[in-house]
Amino acid sequence: MTGPEESGRGWVLHVDLDQFIAAVELLRRPELRGRPVVVGGTGDPTRPRTVAATATYEARAYGVHSGMPLRTALRLCPEAVFLPSDRPAYEAASEQVMATLRRFPVRVEVWGWDEAFVGARTDDPEALAADLRRAVLAATGLSCSVGIGDNKHQAKLASAFAKPAGVHRLTTGTWAQQMYERPTDALWGIGAKTARKLAGLGLHTVADLAAADPAELARHFGPVNGPWLHHLAHGRGESEVVTTPWVPRGHSRETTFPQDLTDASDIAGQVSALARQVASDAAEAGRAVVRVSVKVRFAPFLTRTRQSRLAAPTTDPAELTRVALAVLGRFDLTRPVRLLGVAVEYAPPGDEAPAYTLTALE
DNA sequence: TCTGGGGTCCTAGGACCC
DNA sequence: TCTGGGGTCCTAGGACCC
């Protein structure tokens, strides 16, 4: 921490913890180091319909990966150690990491449990990145990788190139050289579906997309998404690092049942329980609810949602439960149900009361 | 490999209003 | 009454990310 951050040009850094969940678990259980470990669900690999949140490199050697059903992981690697997900532990570790980053003369924007953007002015961003890595490791025992860029998009991609435990710089100056030959889904925001659709238009690489006509892209992907894809391919992106805490837009709870539900009163009972849970979460967060939606995933895997806007914002559990059940009533529930969910949209904070006096004056 | 849970944002179509 | 044009709100679904 040499303190040169008041001078020099501005940079965006992306700090990404390496194998975050597995690393936190191994800190608590050093005896498991070097063994195949899989984390997910309640840690019971025989329970159907639960998947791995993460797998250590030793487990990956057996073909196990995150998102894989635990039962499959067990078959591939019977000697693996299966651990339950422990959200509070990950949140606590994450807090420690973010607090460490905030001790530097930089701006820190938390972007999830295991990553953050850092805004800084310096003549030597590699030195700053190395300082951040050392400080996080010393304070928490966790390893991270750091990407350096002119904006968040570049820094985010750079940190992936830096993995594991490294530092990498990707800027507008080196964008074409580093990115143009890669497939379009190497960009942050382009997934499998969009990549396939782009390929159908003859656009396979980042260079192809960068050379495409934005108006043509708008016709196929919409007025916002089309031009945005073009921007992504040129390595453009948001460069402002915002330190004010994120204000959640909504909240949800959902459950996949080990066996399908067919009984209507069971289904209603589960939706009530989810609605009460979401209401309690909202009350704890001090947020009023303006919309309630119910999600039903039918067997084998058909997902449908129904939603309803409330007449007035509320946090009342009885009212939210009543609305959730009314929305549930709009589904055709003749097929077996494998998942139920209740989601709410929050009113913007401080927006609960209508400002009718101001309106009257206009 | 029979496929979690929790988020965000965008799009399209219909209702409704002037 | 054979049919405009714009704006806003609401709903359902989709894509993406961690």
Side-chain angles (χ1 to χ4, degrees):
Chain A
M1 224 187 294
T2 47
E5 282 78 10
E6 289 75 23
S7 71
R9 54 158 287 195
W11 298 92
V12 176
L13 281 68
H14 182 251
V15 177
D16 201 328
L17 278 299
D18 298 326
Q19 289 269 288
F20 175 62
I21 291 173
V24 172
E25 295 294 349
L26 290 176
L27 275 180
R28 295 193 291 185
R29 299 176 176 82
E31 71 277 10
L32 295 182
R33 226 165 260 288
R35 297 187 54 187
V37 175
V38 181
V39 184
T42 60
D44 174 8
T46 66
R47 186 183 158 94
R49 297 176 178 176
T50 53
V51 302
T54 191
T56 59
Y57 289 112
E58 290 80 4
R60 288 174 192 213
Y62 290 83
V64 178
H65 56 81
S66 68
M68 174 181 280
L70 291 186
R71 295 206 293 186
T72 308
L74 178 63
R75 188 169 358 108
L76 291 176
C77 185
E79 61 269 51
V81 176
F82 289 87
L83 300 176
S85 276
D86 184 354
R87 292 182 61 123
Y90 312 142
E91 278 160 17
S94 178
E95 259 315 304
Q96 257 194 301
V97 170
M98 302 308 165
T100 304
L101 298 178
R102 289 195 192 97
R103 290 208 292 269
F104 286 77
V106 299
R107 295 182 305 286
V108 176
E109 181 171 347
V110 177
W111 202 266
W113 277 352
D114 60 346
E115 49 183 315
F117 288 104
V118 168
R121 304 198 74 84
T122 175
D123 289 322
D124 192 349
E126 273 78 8
L128 172 60
D131 285 346
L132 294 173
R133 279 190 20 77
R134 265 193 297 275
V136 168
L137 186 63
T140 68
L142 296 168
S143 167
C144 62
S145 301
V146 181
I148 300 166
D150 295 315
N151 58 47
K152 290 177 181 172
H153 181 203
Q154 294 171 358
K156 170 84 182 176
L157 297 185
S159 73
F161 297 148
K163 284 193 169 300
V167 175
H168 186 89
R169 190 198 283 212
L170 171 61
T171 60
T172 303
T174 63
W175 178 263
Q177 174 212 327
Q178 292 198 56
M179 295 301 300
Y180 267 13
E181 287 182 11
R182 296 178 188 270
T184 54
D185 63 3
L187 299 170
W188 186 32
I190 297 186
K193 294 286 176 74
T194 303
R196 204 177 313 136
K197 201 169 160 188
L198 286 168
L201 300 171
L203 307 175
H204 301 277
T205 65
V206 174
D208 293 338
L209 185 55
D213 175 17
E216 175 78 1
L217 292 169
R219 286 206 299 112
H220 287 99
F221 296 92
V224 175
N225 280 334
W228 174 71
L229 292 171
H230 189 252
H231 272 251
L232 283 183
H234 283 272
R236 296 175 197 135
E238 180 60 59
S239 59
E240 193 185 348
V241 176
V242 179
T243 58
T244 48
W246 177 255
V247 178
R249 312 302 200 244
H251 179 65
S252 68
R253 294 267 183 167
E254 64 184 54
T255 308
T256 294
F257 306 102
Q259 280 85 36
D260 294 337
L261 264 43
T262 51
D263 182 78
S265 64
D266 281 352
I267 294 170
Q270 294 287 346
V271 167
S272 297
L274 289 164
R276 286 193 301 273
Q277 179 66 65
V278 167
S280 143
D281 295 338
E284 197 173 323
R287 302 290 298 276
V289 168
V290 296
R291 180 194 307 278
V292 175
S293 68
V294 173
K295 175 162 141 185
V296 180
R297 179 125 72 208
F298 298 98
F301 207 76
L302 176 74
T303 308
R304 289 288 177 266
T305 62
R306 295 285 180 275
Q307 56 182 271
S308 183
R309 190 167 184 87
L310 302 181
T314 183
T315 52
D316 179 27
E319 171 69 358
L320 294 181
T321 304
R322 187 190 67 73
V323 174
L325 288 173
V327 172
L328 177 68
R330 286 157 43 200
F331 285 92
D332 174 17
L333 293 172
T334 51
R335 307 174 61 170
V337 168
R338 65 173 282 152
L339 170 148
L340 290 170
V342 172
V344 294
E345 181 186 324
Y346 289 143
D351 200 36
E352 289 79 13
Y356 65 89
T357 47
L358 284 177
T359 309
L361 287 173
E362 282 168 5

